Amino acid sequence: MDASIVIISLPAIFRGIGLDPLAPGNIGYLLWMILGYLLVSAVLVVVLGRLGDMFGRVKIYNLGFLIFACASVALSLDPFRAGAGALWLILWRIVQAFGGSMLTANSAAILTDAFPARQRGMALGINQITALAGQFLGLLAGGLLAVVDWRAVFWVSVPVSITGTIWSYLSLRETSTGRPGRIDWLGNLTFAAGAGILLAGITYGIQPYGGSATGWGNPWVLTGLIGGLALLLAFCVIETRVAEPMFDLALFRNRAFAAGNVAALLTSIARGGLQFMLIIWLQGIWLPLHGYDFEDTPLWAGIFMLPLTLGFLVAGPVSGYLSDRFGARLFSTAGLLVVTVSFLGLLALPVDFDYGLFAALLLLNGIGQGMFSAPNTSSIMGSVPAEYRGVASGMRSTFQNSGTALSIGVFFSLMVSGLATSLPATLKSGLVAHGVPAASAAHAASLPPVSTLFATFLGNNPVQHLLASEGVLDHVTRAQRSVLTGHTFFPQLVSGPFHHGLGIVFGVAAGMALVSAVASALRGSHRPGPDHRKPEDRTAARTARSRHNAPS
C-alpha cells in the first residue's frame, strides 16, 4: 500500500512543498518520487533474502520493520520546501524502501517455513493477494488522505509500522536455523550496480531528449542500458565461480522455479502497465467527460478501479487453497489466460466506455491475476531446498518489482510514441479553432507528450498547463476560455490519439500475458511435497538440489 499511496497523492505533496513538478527541470523529482521506491526494492531484495538465509529470516524481517517505521516518521516531518523538500522525501523514501525490502524479501520464506506443504498455497495466497490489493488500495487511500493534508499520506504509515515493529519482535520466532556463510561482496556489488543502472536508464528513457519525444537516443541512457546489462552478465559469471554465491544460479535448472519467475516478471510488467494506463485513461478522459473536475479525478480514479482489487481479494486465497490440492500449473495458467482475455476486452472498449462493462473487465482481470499469483508463488517457494528459501523469495520479489519499474518505461514509451504521431497536429488545430493564436498553439503542440500525460496523471488540467506559461488564456474571450479549460475540450480532442496509443499498450500487455501463460504451462506438474530440511554440510545440500532439479 505504501509503495503506491504516494502516486495518487503527488499533486498534494508537491503543492505542500511549493514545487511545480511539471516545470522544466522538475520532472526528475516527479519520476524519482514514483520510481525511487521501486528501484531500491528491485535491487536489494535478493541481497536481503540471502542475508535472511544466513543470519535468520525473522531477524532481518524485524529489523526491516524498524527501519520502515523510522523512515515513515522522517517522511512526515519534512522541514524543507521546493527542491530541498523534494530531495528529503526522495531520500527517505529510499530508506523506507530499504526497510520494506527486508520485509518483502523474507516474508514468503517465513511463511513457507511455518506452514506444511498442504497449507502453503493458502498461506502464501493470503500474503500475496493482500500485498497486490494494497497496491490498488493505496491509490484510494492516497486520494482520501491528500484532501486532508499531504503529510497524512505519510502519517498513515507511522502507527502501522510502529505497531508492526513491536508485534513482529514479540510474536515471530525463527523456525529454521541460519546457514552460516560468507557474503558474496563482488556478486552483491555487480548485481546492485547493474540492476540499479539499468532501471535508472529505463526511467530516464521516457523523458524527452532533444527533438525526440523520448530519451532512448540519449547517450547517457544508452550508456546506462548497455552498462547495466554488462554488469548483470558479469554478475552471472561471478556467481558460477564463487564458492558461496549470493544467488545459486543452479536453481534455474529447476523448471518450476525458472518458469514461475519468468511468468511473474512478464505478468508484473503487464500489471504495472495496466495500473498506470487506467489512471491516465480515467483521469485524463473518462472522468472529465462525465463532469468530474480535473482536481478531483485522482480520488475518483482510485474508487472506479476498486473492482480490480475485489477480483484479487476473491480469487487469491481461493486459488491458493485449491492449488494445495490440485497443483499450481492449472490455476496459474488459467488465470493468465483470463488476464489475456480481459486485456483484449479493454482493447475493444471505446474511449468513452460504459462503466458496467469496464468494471466487469477489471473484475475479470483481478480474478485472473489472483488465480495466478498465489499458486505461482507457492510453486516457486516449494520448488527450492529450505536453505535457499530466503534468496528464492528475494529473487521472486526482484522479478516482480523490476517488472513494475520496467512497465513504466515500456508502456509510457509506447503511449508517448503513439501520441507523438498524431497528438501535435490534432492539438494545434483544436486550439486554433478556439481562438488561440497559431504561434502559441504550435508551441503548445510541440511540447513533449509525456508532459501532457503527467499533467493528467497529477490531476491538472492539461490545457491550462500547456497554455499558462505564455498567458494565452488571458487574451481569449471568456467563452473561449470556458471551452478550453472545461471538462470536455481536452478529453474530446485527445481521445483519438490516446485510443491509438492505448491500443498499442493493451495489445502488448495481452501478448505478454499470453507468453506468461505459456511459461506457466511449461513449469511441469509440480505438486507440493514434503518440507526440505537444512543439509548438514555442502555435499548434502548438493544432493538436495540435484533431487529437486530432476525433470518433473
Side-chain angles (χ1 to χ4, degrees):
M1 181 172 166
D2 206 81
S4 63
I5 195 171
V6 170
I7 292 174
I8 217 74
S9 313
L10 285 173
I13 291 172
F14 280 108
R15 282 196 299 269
I17 63 175
L19 184 71
D20 178 8
L22 295 173
N26 287 347
I27 288 183
Y29 293 129
L30 174 66
L31 283 173
W32 280 105
M33 280 291 291
I34 296 173
L35 291 173
Y37 192 102
L38 290 173
L39 293 179
V40 173
S41 299
V43 168
L44 290 181
V45 283
V46 177
V47 178
L48 296 170
R50 169 66 173 155
L51 292 177
D53 287 338
M54 293 172 59
F55 302 110
R57 292 156 193 161
V58 169
K59 184 182 297 184
I60 300 297
Y61 182 91
N62 290 343
L63 180 60
F65 241 135
L66 180 61
I67 293 173
F68 193 91
C70 294
S72 298
V73 173
L75 281 163
S76 66
L77 300 176
D78 188 349
F80 302 111
R81 292 183 59 78
L87 286 175
W88 173 280
L89 295 176
I90 291 168
L91 291 174
W92 279 107
R93 281 284 284 175
I94 289 174
V95 175
Q96 191 181 47
F98 182 73
S101 297
M102 289 181 162
L103 299 174
T104 56
N106 291 282
S107 59
I110 291 172
L111 289 173
T112 304
D113 289 339
F115 283 85
R118 65 182 182 276
Q119 297 176 341
R120 192 174 291 149
M122 181 68 174
L124 291 171
I126 294 173
N127 176 260
Q128 288 299 297
I129 299 309
T130 302
L132 292 174
Q135 292 182 6
F136 289 93
L137 290 174
L139 301 177
L140 177 60
L144 291 170
L145 293 172
V147 175
V148 179
D149 190 293
W150 70 270
R151 296 182 189 271
V153 173
F154 302 112
W155 290 338
V156 71
S157 301
V158 175
V160 175
S161 56
I162 292 176
T163 303
T165 301
I166 298 171
W167 194 357
S168 66
Y169 269 101
L170 292 178
S171 64
L172 291 181
R173 297 290 181 271
E174 292 285 359
T175 56
S176 64
T177 57
R179 179 174 177 267
R182 291 178 296 177
I183 297 177
D184 175 18
W185 292 110
L186 188 57
N188 284 325
L189 179 62
T190 51
F191 178 81
I197 292 172
L198 177 64
L199 293 175
I202 292 171
T203 300
Y204 284 102
I206 67 176
Q207 296 189 55
Y209 174 72
S212 176
T214 59
W216 298 111
N218 186 335
W220 287 107
V221 171
L222 294 174
T223 301
L225 297 178
I226 296 171
L229 287 173
L231 285 171
L232 290 177
L233 289 174
F235 164 76
C236 293
V237 174
I238 291 168
E239 295 304 275
T240 62
R241 300 190 177 186
V242 296
E244 297 185 44
M246 181 187 85
F247 184 71
D248 192 344
L249 295 178
L251 292 175
F252 278 105
R253 297 174 186 166
N254 184 313
R255 189 165 54 171
F257 182 82
N261 278 304
V262 169
L265 173 65
L266 294 175
T267 303
S268 181
I269 295 174
R271 180 173 59 245
L274 173 71
Q275 175 178 315
F276 284 97
M277 290 306 109
L278 289 180
I279 291 173
I280 293 173
W281 193 356
L282 289 169
Q283 292 183 192
I285 296 180
W286 194 85
L287 287 169
L289 284 177
H290 290 259
Y292 293 85
D293 292 332
F294 280 97
E295 293 77 10
D296 298 331
T297 56
L299 171 60
W300 286 102
I303 293 173
F304 280 110
M305 288 169 60
L306 282 177
L308 189 62
T309 303
L310 180 62
F312 283 143
L313 293 175
V314 170
V318 173
S319 62
Y321 171 77
L322 293 175
S323 70
D324 287 335
R325 300 185 59 189
F326 303 107
R329 180 168 62 172
L330 173 64
F331 293 94
S332 60
T333 304
L336 290 172
L337 292 176
V338 170
V339 170
T340 303
V341 171
S342 69
F343 276 128
L344 295 176
L346 289 169
L347 179 62
L349 285 182
V351 172
D352 189 11
F353 49 78
D354 175 75
Y355 180 72
L357 182 56
F358 179 77
L361 289 170
L362 291 191
L363 180 66
L364 187 67
N365 191 283
I367 290 173
Q369 293 196 47
M371 290 174 63
F372 163 76
S373 182
N376 188 65
T377 301
S378 179
S379 174
I380 291 172
M381 296 304 300
S383 67
V384 299
E387 73 272 17
Y388 289 101
R389 284 176 182 160
V391 75
S393 176
M395 183 56 74
R396 179 194 58 81
S397 296
T398 289
F399 279 116
Q400 182 171 304
N401 294 333
S402 297
T404 304
L406 284 169
S407 71
I408 297 175
V410 170
F411 288 109
F412 263 100
S413 295
L414 290 172
M415 176 59 74
V416 167
S417 299
L419 290 177
T421 59
S422 52
L423 180 61
T426 304
L427 186 59
K428 179 181 177 181
S429 60
L431 292 174
V432 170
H434 287 82
V436 175
S440 298
H443 174 72
S446 67
L447 292 176
V450 69
S451 182
T452 303
L453 286 181
F454 278 140
T456 61
F457 187 77
L458 294 174
N460 291 340
N461 187 321
V463 173
Q464 286 183 328
H465 165 67
L466 291 170
L467 300 179
S469 61
E470 297 187 5
V472 174
L473 294 176
D474 297 330
H475 298 88
V476 297
T477 66
R478 180 177 299 178
Q480 290 172 331
R481 186 186 309 116
S482 177
V483 171
L484 288 170
T485 60
H487 294 152
T488 60
F489 173 74
F490 178 80
Q492 290 176 347
L493 190 69
V494 79
S495 60
F498 181 82
H499 192 260
H500 172 66
L502 202 64
I504 297 174
V505 167
F506 283 142
V508 171
M512 286 186 173
L514 187 59
V515 174
S516 298
V518 174
S520 179
L522 294 175
R523 75 177 69 234
S525 56
H526 173 80
R527 290 175 182 249
D531 289 335
H532 305 289
R533 301 301 175 188
K534 176 181 177 295
E536 294 299 325
D537 53 37
R538 185 72 174 172
T539 302
R542 290 196 186 100
T543 303
R545 285 199 302 275
S546 298
R547 182 169 61 254
H548 282 269
N549 291 339
S552 300

